[in-house]
Structures are given as C-alpha cells and as structure tokens.
mmCIF file of all heavy atoms in Angstrom:
data_model
loop_
_atom_site.group_PDB
_atom_site.id
_atom_site.type_symbol
_atom_site.label_atom_id
_atom_site.label_comp_id
_atom_site.label_asym_id
_atom_site.label_seq_id
_atom_site.Cartn_x
_atom_site.Cartn_y
_atom_site.Cartn_z
ATOM 1 N N SER A 756 73.963 79.163 101.705
ATOM 2 C CA SER A 756 74.544 79.358 100.322
ATOM 3 C C SER A 756 75.827 78.612 100.161
ATOM 4 O O SER A 756 76.363 78.091 101.168
ATOM 5 C CB SER A 756 74.802 80.899 100.171
ATOM 6 O OG SER A 756 75.854 81.318 100.895
ATOM 7 N N ASP A 757 76.405 78.761 98.955
ATOM 8 C CA ASP A 757 77.733 78.224 98.708
ATOM 9 C C ASP A 757 78.655 79.177 99.224
ATOM 10 O O ASP A 757 78.347 80.345 99.694
ATOM 11 C CB ASP A 757 77.965 78.154 97.212
ATOM 12 C CG ASP A 757 77.130 76.976 96.533
ATOM 13 O OD1 ASP A 757 76.777 76.024 97.268
ATOM 14 O OD2 ASP A 757 76.798 77.077 95.317
ATOM 15 N N TRP A 758 79.941 78.787 99.216
ATOM 16 C CA TRP A 758 81.000 79.695 99.838
ATOM 17 C C TRP A 758 81.501 80.647 98.821
ATOM 18 O O TRP A 758 81.428 80.391 97.571
ATOM 19 C CB TRP A 758 82.311 78.796 100.204
ATOM 20 C CG TRP A 758 82.065 77.873 101.345
ATOM 21 C CD1 TRP A 758 81.791 76.501 101.239
ATOM 22 C CD2 TRP A 758 81.913 78.155 102.673
ATOM 23 N NE1 TRP A 758 81.624 75.982 102.506
ATOM 24 C CE2 TRP A 758 81.763 76.951 103.439
ATOM 25 C CE3 TRP A 758 82.131 79.347 103.374
ATOM 26 C CZ2 TRP A 758 81.719 76.900 104.785
ATOM 27 C CZ3 TRP A 758 82.076 79.289 104.749
ATOM 28 C CH2 TRP A 758 81.813 78.062 105.477
ATOM 29 N N VAL A 759 81.821 81.871 99.267
ATOM 30 C CA VAL A 759 82.406 82.937 98.458
ATOM 31 C C VAL A 759 83.776 83.347 99.036
ATOM 32 O O VAL A 759 83.762 83.610 100.339
ATOM 33 C CB VAL A 759 81.321 84.049 98.373
ATOM 34 C CG1 VAL A 759 81.962 85.338 97.704
ATOM 35 C CG2 VAL A 759 80.039 83.706 97.758
ATOM 36 N N THR A 760 84.703 83.552 98.265
ATOM 37 C CA THR A 760 85.963 84.013 98.731
ATOM 38 C C THR A 760 86.066 85.518 98.654
ATOM 39 O O THR A 760 85.601 86.114 97.696
ATOM 40 C CB THR A 760 87.092 83.450 97.844
ATOM 41 O OG1 THR A 760 87.063 81.980 97.861
ATOM 42 C CG2 THR A 760 88.488 83.830 98.318
ATOM 43 N N VAL A 761 86.569 86.098 99.790
ATOM 44 C CA VAL A 761 86.686 87.571 99.891
ATOM 45 C C VAL A 761 88.253 87.765 99.607
ATOM 46 O O VAL A 761 88.988 87.602 100.527
ATOM 47 C CB VAL A 761 86.268 88.039 101.198
ATOM 48 C CG1 VAL A 761 86.486 89.559 101.353
ATOM 49 C CG2 VAL A 761 84.752 87.767 101.583
ATOM 50 N N ASP A 762 88.551 88.191 98.380
ATOM 51 C CA ASP A 762 89.872 88.452 97.950
ATOM 52 C C ASP A 762 90.168 89.911 97.972
ATOM 53 O O ASP A 762 89.283 90.794 98.283
ATOM 54 C CB ASP A 762 90.266 87.842 96.651
ATOM 55 C CG ASP A 762 89.360 88.299 95.547
ATOM 56 O OD1 ASP A 762 88.745 89.368 95.644
ATOM 57 O OD2 ASP A 762 89.333 87.717 94.530
ATOM 58 N N GLN A 763 91.431 90.251 97.909
ATOM 59 C CA GLN A 763 91.839 91.720 97.977
ATOM 60 C C GLN A 763 91.218 92.526 96.913
ATOM 61 O O GLN A 763 90.876 93.681 97.046
ATOM 62 C CB GLN A 763 93.321 91.851 97.938
ATOM 63 C CG GLN A 763 93.849 93.280 98.300
ATOM 64 C CD GLN A 763 93.415 93.756 99.731
ATOM 65 O OE1 GLN A 763 93.691 92.903 100.670
ATOM 66 N NE2 GLN A 763 92.842 94.776 99.812
ATOM 67 N N ASP A 764 90.955 91.898 95.698
ATOM 68 C CA ASP A 764 90.340 92.718 94.594
ATOM 69 C C ASP A 764 88.867 93.115 95.042
ATOM 70 O O ASP A 764 88.454 94.206 94.763
ATOM 71 C CB ASP A 764 90.235 91.809 93.299
ATOM 72 C CG ASP A 764 91.564 91.729 92.601
ATOM 73 O OD1 ASP A 764 92.526 92.460 92.892
ATOM 74 O OD2 ASP A 764 91.789 90.847 91.820
ATOM 75 N N ARG A 765 88.103 92.195 95.644
ATOM 76 C CA ARG A 765 86.745 92.589 96.115
ATOM 77 C C ARG A 765 86.909 93.692 97.272
ATOM 78 O O ARG A 765 86.060 94.559 97.138
ATOM 79 C CB ARG A 765 86.034 91.295 96.669
ATOM 80 C CG ARG A 765 84.633 91.524 97.052
ATOM 81 C CD ARG A 765 84.092 90.203 97.622
ATOM 82 N NE ARG A 765 83.999 89.105 96.780
ATOM 83 C CZ ARG A 765 82.967 88.759 96.099
ATOM 84 N NH1 ARG A 765 81.726 89.400 96.225
ATOM 85 N NH2 ARG A 765 82.973 87.754 95.309
ATOM 86 N N ILE A 766 87.804 93.531 98.046
ATOM 87 C CA ILE A 766 87.981 94.579 99.164
ATOM 88 C C ILE A 766 88.275 95.921 98.576
ATOM 89 O O ILE A 766 87.684 96.870 98.892
ATOM 90 C CB ILE A 766 88.976 94.022 100.234
ATOM 91 C CG1 ILE A 766 88.534 92.941 100.946
ATOM 92 C CG2 ILE A 766 89.344 95.239 101.133
ATOM 93 C CD1 ILE A 766 89.586 92.130 101.802
ATOM 94 N N ASP A 767 89.161 95.963 97.651
ATOM 95 C CA ASP A 767 89.667 97.161 96.986
ATOM 96 C C ASP A 767 88.535 97.780 96.197
ATOM 97 O O ASP A 767 88.378 98.976 96.123
ATOM 98 C CB ASP A 767 90.852 96.926 96.083
ATOM 99 C CG ASP A 767 92.156 96.599 96.797
ATOM 100 O OD1 ASP A 767 92.222 96.894 98.020
ATOM 101 O OD2 ASP A 767 93.144 96.116 96.083
ATOM 102 N N ALA A 768 87.725 96.942 95.505
ATOM 103 C CA ALA A 768 86.649 97.387 94.753
ATOM 104 C C ALA A 768 85.566 98.103 95.653
ATOM 105 O O ALA A 768 85.010 99.131 95.389
ATOM 106 C CB ALA A 768 85.943 96.358 93.868
ATOM 107 N N PHE A 769 85.331 97.435 96.816
ATOM 108 C CA PHE A 769 84.410 98.031 97.714
ATOM 109 C C PHE A 769 84.970 99.322 98.268
ATOM 110 O O PHE A 769 84.171 100.334 98.473
ATOM 111 C CB PHE A 769 84.082 96.951 98.943
ATOM 112 C CG PHE A 769 83.027 97.481 99.833
ATOM 113 C CD1 PHE A 769 81.708 97.153 99.449
ATOM 114 C CD2 PHE A 769 83.252 98.131 100.945
ATOM 115 C CE1 PHE A 769 80.554 97.530 100.221
ATOM 116 C CE2 PHE A 769 82.196 98.469 101.750
ATOM 117 C CZ PHE A 769 80.893 98.233 101.448
ATOM 118 N N ALA A 770 86.238 99.425 98.647
ATOM 119 C CA ALA A 770 86.822 100.654 99.088
ATOM 120 C C ALA A 770 86.571 101.745 98.076
ATOM 121 O O ALA A 770 86.301 102.924 98.354
ATOM 122 C CB ALA A 770 88.269 100.423 99.364
ATOM 123 N N GLY A 771 86.759 101.456 96.776
ATOM 124 C CA GLY A 771 86.669 102.399 95.708
ATOM 125 C C GLY A 771 85.242 102.812 95.552
ATOM 126 O O GLY A 771 84.895 104.036 95.385
ATOM 127 N N ALA A 772 84.339 101.978 95.798
ATOM 128 C CA ALA A 772 82.826 102.297 95.676
ATOM 129 C C ALA A 772 82.336 103.143 96.855
ATOM 130 O O ALA A 772 81.399 103.962 96.662
ATOM 131 C CB ALA A 772 82.030 101.032 95.561
ATOM 132 N N THR A 773 82.953 102.946 98.019
ATOM 133 C CA THR A 773 82.459 103.670 99.172
ATOM 134 C C THR A 773 83.336 104.815 99.670
ATOM 135 O O THR A 773 82.923 105.578 100.499
ATOM 136 C CB THR A 773 82.340 102.665 100.362
ATOM 137 O OG1 THR A 773 83.644 102.089 100.724
ATOM 138 C CG2 THR A 773 81.340 101.464 100.005
ATOM 139 N N GLY A 774 84.549 104.880 99.155
ATOM 140 C CA GLY A 774 85.503 105.913 99.677
ATOM 141 C C GLY A 774 86.147 105.510 100.930
ATOM 142 O O GLY A 774 86.895 106.332 101.498
ATOM 143 N N ASP A 775 85.971 104.346 101.462
ATOM 144 C CA ASP A 775 86.659 103.865 102.726
ATOM 145 C C ASP A 775 87.942 103.242 102.398
ATOM 146 O O ASP A 775 88.030 101.988 102.119
ATOM 147 C CB ASP A 775 85.709 102.966 103.507
ATOM 148 C CG ASP A 775 86.238 102.552 104.855
ATOM 149 O OD1 ASP A 775 87.485 102.772 105.049
ATOM 150 O OD2 ASP A 775 85.563 101.879 105.637
ATOM 151 N N HIS A 776 89.031 103.915 102.412
ATOM 152 C CA HIS A 776 90.249 103.406 102.151
ATOM 153 C C HIS A 776 91.255 103.281 103.349
ATOM 154 O O HIS A 776 92.450 103.329 103.253
ATOM 155 C CB HIS A 776 91.044 104.335 101.113
ATOM 156 C CG HIS A 776 90.334 104.374 99.805
ATOM 157 N ND1 HIS A 776 90.463 103.540 98.771
ATOM 158 C CD2 HIS A 776 89.392 105.359 99.320
ATOM 159 C CE1 HIS A 776 89.656 103.766 97.773
ATOM 160 N NE2 HIS A 776 89.036 104.828 98.072
ATOM 161 N N GLN A 777 90.551 102.970 104.458
ATOM 162 C CA GLN A 777 91.459 102.731 105.674
ATOM 163 C C GLN A 777 92.437 101.577 105.482
ATOM 164 O O GLN A 777 92.170 100.594 104.831
ATOM 165 C CB GLN A 777 90.426 102.358 106.851
ATOM 166 C CG GLN A 777 91.242 102.307 108.107
ATOM 167 C CD GLN A 777 90.301 102.066 109.309
ATOM 168 O OE1 GLN A 777 90.794 101.850 110.334
ATOM 169 N NE2 GLN A 777 89.029 101.970 109.199
ATOM 170 N N TRP A 778 93.587 101.792 106.030
ATOM 171 C CA TRP A 778 94.730 100.902 105.687
ATOM 172 C C TRP A 778 94.472 99.451 106.171
ATOM 173 O O TRP A 778 95.083 98.575 105.427
ATOM 174 C CB TRP A 778 96.030 101.448 106.329
ATOM 175 C CG TRP A 778 95.961 101.443 107.855
ATOM 176 C CD1 TRP A 778 95.536 102.505 108.657
ATOM 177 C CD2 TRP A 778 96.263 100.402 108.808
ATOM 178 N NE1 TRP A 778 95.635 102.201 110.015
ATOM 179 C CE2 TRP A 778 96.062 100.874 110.033
ATOM 180 C CE3 TRP A 778 96.768 99.139 108.626
ATOM 181 C CZ2 TRP A 778 96.315 100.175 111.285
ATOM 182 C CZ3 TRP A 778 97.070 98.339 109.809
ATOM 183 C CH2 TRP A 778 96.812 98.876 111.159
ATOM 184 N N ILE A 779 93.607 99.235 107.152
ATOM 185 C CA ILE A 779 93.430 97.856 107.565
ATOM 186 C C ILE A 779 92.643 97.087 106.373
ATOM 187 O O ILE A 779 92.676 95.842 106.450
ATOM 188 C CB ILE A 779 92.606 97.706 108.876
ATOM 189 C CG1 ILE A 779 91.228 98.378 108.759
ATOM 190 C CG2 ILE A 779 93.374 98.225 109.932
ATOM 191 C CD1 ILE A 779 90.320 98.160 109.816
ATOM 192 N N HIS A 780 92.102 97.800 105.420
ATOM 193 C CA HIS A 780 91.409 97.144 104.331
ATOM 194 C C HIS A 780 92.300 97.113 102.994
ATOM 195 O O HIS A 780 92.169 96.057 102.357
ATOM 196 C CB HIS A 780 90.133 97.907 103.963
ATOM 197 C CG HIS A 780 89.183 98.112 105.106
ATOM 198 N ND1 HIS A 780 88.644 97.018 105.886
ATOM 199 C CD2 HIS A 780 88.650 99.179 105.699
ATOM 200 C CE1 HIS A 780 87.871 97.477 106.844
ATOM 201 N NE2 HIS A 780 87.874 98.807 106.765
ATOM 202 N N VAL A 781 93.028 98.156 102.766
ATOM 203 C CA VAL A 781 93.555 98.286 101.465
ATOM 204 C C VAL A 781 95.095 98.332 101.429
ATOM 205 O O VAL A 781 95.688 98.446 100.276
ATOM 206 C CB VAL A 781 93.092 99.565 100.716
ATOM 207 C CG1 VAL A 781 91.505 99.414 100.574
ATOM 208 C CG2 VAL A 781 93.460 100.852 101.507
ATOM 209 N N ASP A 782 95.808 98.214 102.529
ATOM 210 C CA ASP A 782 97.270 98.283 102.533
ATOM 211 C C ASP A 782 97.843 96.924 103.127
ATOM 212 O O ASP A 782 98.045 96.859 104.292
ATOM 213 C CB ASP A 782 97.725 99.458 103.354
ATOM 214 C CG ASP A 782 99.294 99.679 103.223
ATOM 215 O OD1 ASP A 782 99.971 98.747 102.896
ATOM 216 O OD2 ASP A 782 99.716 100.892 103.642
ATOM 217 N N PRO A 783 97.985 95.982 102.136
ATOM 218 C CA PRO A 783 98.492 94.668 102.739
ATOM 219 C C PRO A 783 99.686 94.657 103.584
ATOM 220 O O PRO A 783 99.826 93.949 104.538
ATOM 221 C CB PRO A 783 98.552 93.796 101.400
ATOM 222 C CG PRO A 783 97.665 94.428 100.344
ATOM 223 C CD PRO A 783 97.743 95.981 100.733
ATOM 224 N N GLU A 784 100.717 95.460 103.120
ATOM 225 C CA GLU A 784 101.963 95.517 103.794
ATOM 226 C C GLU A 784 101.796 96.114 105.277
ATOM 227 O O GLU A 784 102.210 95.448 106.190
ATOM 228 C CB GLU A 784 102.948 96.406 103.002
ATOM 229 C CG GLU A 784 104.362 96.383 103.584
ATOM 230 C CD GLU A 784 105.219 97.184 102.745
ATOM 231 O OE1 GLU A 784 105.416 96.802 101.518
ATOM 232 O OE2 GLU A 784 105.993 98.012 103.296
ATOM 233 N N ARG A 785 101.091 97.232 105.379
ATOM 234 C CA ARG A 785 100.827 97.805 106.625
ATOM 235 C C ARG A 785 99.975 96.923 107.511
ATOM 236 O O ARG A 785 100.192 96.686 108.719
ATOM 237 C CB ARG A 785 100.289 99.177 106.537
ATOM 238 C CG ARG A 785 100.098 99.907 107.885
ATOM 239 C CD ARG A 785 99.770 101.315 107.688
ATOM 240 N NE ARG A 785 99.501 101.998 108.984
ATOM 241 C CZ ARG A 785 98.953 103.157 109.087
ATOM 242 N NH1 ARG A 785 98.413 103.767 107.947
ATOM 243 N NH2 ARG A 785 98.748 103.622 110.315
ATOM 244 N N ALA A 786 98.914 96.338 106.829
ATOM 245 C CA ALA A 786 98.031 95.488 107.600
ATOM 246 C C ALA A 786 98.662 94.174 108.155
ATOM 247 O O ALA A 786 98.281 93.569 109.112
ATOM 248 C CB ALA A 786 96.784 95.197 106.709
ATOM 249 N N ALA A 787 99.696 93.648 107.450
ATOM 250 C CA ALA A 787 100.363 92.478 107.851
ATOM 251 C C ALA A 787 100.990 92.601 109.270
ATOM 252 O O ALA A 787 101.161 91.662 110.047
ATOM 253 C CB ALA A 787 101.440 91.990 106.866
ATOM 254 N N ALA A 788 101.408 93.936 109.533
ATOM 255 C CA ALA A 788 101.939 94.232 110.942
ATOM 256 C C ALA A 788 100.898 94.754 111.889
ATOM 257 O O ALA A 788 101.306 95.064 112.990
ATOM 258 C CB ALA A 788 103.154 95.286 110.732
ATOM 259 N N GLY A 789 99.658 94.806 111.372
ATOM 260 C CA GLY A 789 98.592 95.363 112.202
ATOM 261 C C GLY A 789 97.964 94.287 113.105
ATOM 262 O O GLY A 789 98.336 93.141 113.160
ATOM 263 N N PRO A 790 96.878 94.611 113.716
ATOM 264 C CA PRO A 790 96.267 93.798 114.627
ATOM 265 C C PRO A 790 95.633 92.479 114.120
ATOM 266 O O PRO A 790 95.418 91.469 114.877
ATOM 267 C CB PRO A 790 95.095 94.582 115.289
ATOM 268 C CG PRO A 790 94.867 95.652 114.219
ATOM 269 C CD PRO A 790 96.119 95.926 113.561
#
C-alpha cells in the first residue's frame, strides 16, 4: 500500500472509540519522558 501517517489526532480518536486512554498513547508531555 501507500504510506499512511499515524498522527496524534488518529491516536486520540482511536482512544476515544475504544476507551483506552493510557498515557503512553494520549499524553504527549508525559510520554516524552517515557520509554
């Protein structure tokens, strides 16, 4: 396939759809200091 960019909006929309709001996905500030 062609390339698709996974941006924060897509990640946040998926978190909203699934209820998975773990910080490694939805908190850019905390995640910047994470693994």
